[in-house]
Amino acid sequence: MSDFGRLNRRTFLRMGALAAATPAVAGLAAAPVAADDDKGDKDNQGLHGKPDAGPFRELEEITIARLQAEMAAGKLTSRKLVDMYLKRIDALDKNGPKVNAILELNPDARAIADALDAERKKTGPRGPLHGIPVLLKDNIDTHDKMQTGAGSLALVGTPALQDATVAARLRAAGAVILGKTNLSEWANFRSTHSSSGWSGRGGQCNNPFVLDRNPCGSSSGSGAAVSANLTVVSLGTETDGSIVCPATNNGVVGIKPTVGLVSRAGVVPISHNQDTVGPHARTVTDAAITLGALVGLDPRDGATAASAGHFHTDYTPFLDPHALNGARIGVARKGVTGYSEKTDAIFEQAIAALRAAGAVIVDPADIPTMDEINSSNDETTVLLFDFKQDLNAYLATRVGVPIKTLADAIAFNNAHADQEMPWFGQELFIQAEATDGFGDPAYQQALANDKRRGGADGIDAVLQQYHLDALVAPTGAPAWTTDLVDGDHFLGASSTPAAIVGYPLVTVPAGFSHGLPVNITFMGTAWSEPTLIKLAYAFEQATKIRRAPQYLPSMP
């Protein structure tokens, strides 16, 4: 498989990264806190804010707890909430600044909301997500009138025959699936020089902070929509960086769960070894609430069997504002810092904030295998082999769409190049199609190397060496200017060690550089979501960095 040598780890990275439950006080809206070199917008209003705040300001920075309090008090219904979001989406996503985060809206959303309102009156809410609008990335199956296209016209046709397990669980929790979000087409696994957030189905998604900046991928629309207050929460997927990178570029919280904690059944795949589904939200609280609705065993995804005894259907008990006091946190530097002086400056401020909150900081606490990881082709090898087999298995579940195999997808793109390949090609598709199955010794060795480097000799080794609760690292650099011609200007990230072994990440806003958000990531061993959520929440409460975007057309 000599072609794999053309795509080393750094080149692979450059192609793009695959609020507390507050008291029920009507009209109270969280005021964003200024950070770093910029002043926050202090004029956000709640559901009953001043009339001159405008109909599209009412939802800014609203939380699940606040919405549930409004609905419990009879001052709001799910139907009204859906209508408000639809108006905001029309004003900000389809018109006005045109964030372009949303591909498709659910034509049944109002009817679903009406039914949930009737149920609330009769028997009460099912839980914290009852009546709450949620957006799903366009690679998550929904058995309704919406498409599941992974951003590609090659999957447009008959909708999926069955809900993805995560979609079904959201419905069971009482959520309103409001629509599908734009993404990097095929979850950014088509070309080595793609533009994150671009899809043949939706065009280029934009960053709501500065519109000509990139939202990062592949869950670009998921992160941008939450940041732009077009939904309360959304679901993204990650293979390597595709939840956490959109979170940092768009200044929101992202949880990338342990592989197997959340079912991938009904999700257009890249790799069964690395794929996972997780939430974007504006607060750690809302992300934790959403995660609790997603977890559990699923016979449709055998990987979930390993989560028995590890998952929690309610992660809110771990929301401890004092969790940093006495926590041992290691600072990962080698291979995950040094690529951006602006990121590094914010990271140093974050470390100081962790220390001020009582954390015991071990600095440095480097991942021992970081040089091996960054110089190796093994992750690329695994993903190319997995993609062909896993995608073909998924396509066997779809009917009434133009393709049945990866080879068909390649042919479709060639036949529709003006629509699908106006800016970049399908080099990864072609390399994946050339693989010859999971029995190949090159694949088996690469997979074993990844598990060792990410786990026993990597994250687990440094956690054990320094007796750490978690590691912390910068999530990425400030958003780059979108470049459809040459692709992403991607400087660096910290997601890969956890990606190759399937370990969890929680990313949370940490600061701003020239108005562009930058996050930090808490990482740990398998099934350590409770600890990571606890630490991220305490950091969020101590710093309160998140603020609403301003939709600037370009940098001042």
Side-chain angles (χ1 to χ4, degrees):
M1 307 304 297
S2 59
D3 281 349
F4 299 144
R6 300 176 190 171
L7 202 64
N8 64 28
R9 178 65 207 149
R10 194 159 296 279
T11 302
F12 179 73
L13 276 173
R14 275 201 300 267
M15 71 177 150
L18 299 168
T22 53
V25 181
L28 179 64
V33 176
D36 193 21
D37 55 343
D38 300 287
K39 298 296 183 184
D41 177 359
K42 302 291 185 180
D43 193 35
N44 293 328
Q45 301 294 330
L47 288 171
H48 306 291
K50 298 176 184 177
D52 60 1
F56 311 124
R57 296 295 298 272
E58 293 175 317
L59 294 170
E60 288 202 357
E61 307 305 283
I62 204 74
T63 65
I64 290 172
R66 206 169 271 115
L67 290 171
Q68 289 296 350
E70 294 281 342
M71 288 191 275
K75 297 176 181 178
L76 179 69
T77 64
S78 180
R79 170 60 182 268
K80 181 181 178 183
L81 183 58
V82 166
D83 285 339
M84 291 166 70
Y85 274 117
L86 292 176
K87 289 177 182 177
R88 186 174 174 93
I89 288 166
D90 184 66
L92 297 181
D93 196 64
K94 303 308 175 190
N95 295 290
K98 294 187 178 179
V99 178
N100 201 31
I102 297 172
L103 279 179
E104 185 173 6
L105 292 168
N106 187 351
D108 297 323
R110 290 185 175 95
I112 294 169
D114 285 339
L116 290 166
D117 286 333
E119 181 182 328
R120 179 187 292 270
K121 286 183 177 180
K122 185 176 181 181
T123 60
R126 301 180 193 181
L129 288 179
H130 190 108
I132 300 295
V134 179
L135 289 167
L136 306 185
K137 187 176 177 179
D138 186 43
N139 62 350
I140 299 174
D141 283 351
T142 53
H143 180 52
D144 51 23
K145 296 172 185 173
M146 292 189 291
Q147 300 290 323
T148 302
S152 173
L153 299 171
L155 279 179
V156 172
T158 303
L161 300 180
Q162 184 177 2
D163 270 346
T165 298
V166 290
R169 286 180 173 164
L170 285 174
R171 294 191 205 272
V176 180
I177 297 179
L178 188 63
K180 297 288 184 77
T181 58
N182 203 356
L183 72 163
S184 309
E185 188 177 297
W186 293 107
N188 228 3
F189 202 74
R190 200 192 82 188
S191 173
T192 57
H193 55 276
S194 62
S195 172
S196 288
W198 185 93
S199 69
R201 195 175 167 216
Q204 180 65 51
C205 179
N206 301 310
N207 189 310
F209 281 89
V210 182
L211 294 163
D212 69 356
R213 296 274 158 167
N214 198 271
C216 200
S218 65
S219 306
S220 43
S222 175
V226 166
S227 186
N229 288 277
L230 306 178
T231 185
V232 190
V233 293
S234 63
L235 293 194
T237 66
E238 175 157 330
T239 305
D240 185 346
S242 289
I243 290 173
V244 297
C245 187
T248 186
N249 277 28
N250 294 284
V252 298
V253 174
I255 298 179
K256 177 251 180 182
T258 303
V259 171
L261 186 70
V262 176
S263 173
R264 291 85 49 87
V267 178
V268 182
I270 292 177
S271 165
H272 63 278
N273 285 297
Q274 294 186 202
D275 291 350
T276 188
V277 183
H280 281 133
R282 290 180 293 274
T283 67
V284 176
T285 299
D286 286 356
I289 289 170
T290 307
L291 180 64
L294 305 177
V295 301
L297 306 183
D298 179 16
R300 296 176 63 197
D301 182 356
T304 62
S307 73
H310 296 294
F311 66 82
H312 302 265
T313 56
D314 183 2
Y315 284 89
T316 60
F318 304 109
L319 299 172
D320 178 3
H322 307 295
L324 286 169
N325 191 19
R328 291 183 59 82
I329 298 178
V331 178
R333 292 188 181 275
K334 187 177 184 180
V336 295
T337 61
Y339 52 80
S340 166
E341 62 183 17
K342 299 169 182 65
T343 295
D344 289 347
I346 291 170
F347 187 42
E348 296 305 324
Q349 293 173 9
I351 294 169
L354 292 169
R355 187 178 282 113
V360 178
I361 301 297
V362 179
D363 185 3
D366 292 326
I367 296 170
T369 51
M370 204 64 223
D371 285 344
E372 290 181 71
I373 291 170
N374 279 340
S375 62
S376 172
N377 297 328
D378 287 332
E379 182 184 24
T380 307
T381 299
V382 169
L383 299 186
L384 290 171
F385 273 87
D386 283 356
F387 183 62
K388 179 180 178 180
Q389 306 299 322
D390 294 350
L391 179 64
N392 287 347
Y394 167 82
L395 290 174
T397 71
R398 297 292 299 272
V399 300
V401 296
I403 62 172
K404 293 299 290 182
T405 64
L406 173 57
D408 292 343
I410 293 170
F412 181 94
N413 289 338
N414 286 332
H416 300 83
D418 288 348
Q419 297 163 291
E420 285 290 348
M421 298 194 294
W423 302 110
F424 49 87
Q426 53 180 341
E427 301 88 2
L428 294 177
F429 271 22
I430 293 168
Q431 291 185 47
E433 179 60 24
T435 62
D436 52 8
F438 295 144
D440 191 305
Y443 170 78
Q444 295 291 338
Q445 185 60 59
L447 183 59
N449 290 342
D450 277 353
K451 301 302 183 188
R452 174 185 62 80
R453 289 174 183 145
D457 291 355
I459 292 172
D460 290 331
V462 68
L463 291 175
Q464 292 163 13
Q465 179 182 358
Y466 296 112
H467 308 288
L468 301 174
D469 295 298
L471 294 173
V472 68
T475 308
W480 58 91
T481 305
T482 294
D483 184 348
L484 288 166
V485 175
D486 292 321
D488 291 338
H489 302 277
F490 190 77
L491 298 179
S494 57
S495 59
T496 298
I500 60 178
V501 73
Y503 285 0
L505 303 171
V506 178
T507 180
V508 63
F512 290 83
S513 177
H514 303 282
L516 297 170
V518 173
N519 283 17
I520 59 169
T521 293
F522 293 90
M523 65 180 80
T525 192
W527 322 115
S528 62
E529 284 82 0
T531 297
L532 302 185
I533 288 170
K534 195 180 291 187
L535 298 175
Y537 177 76
F539 177 81
E540 174 193 60
Q541 296 305 298
T543 57
K544 296 189 182 294
I545 299 298
R546 161 68 193 175
R547 67 167 177 261
Q550 298 300 307
Y551 314 100
L552 300 177
S554 60
M555 292 295 292

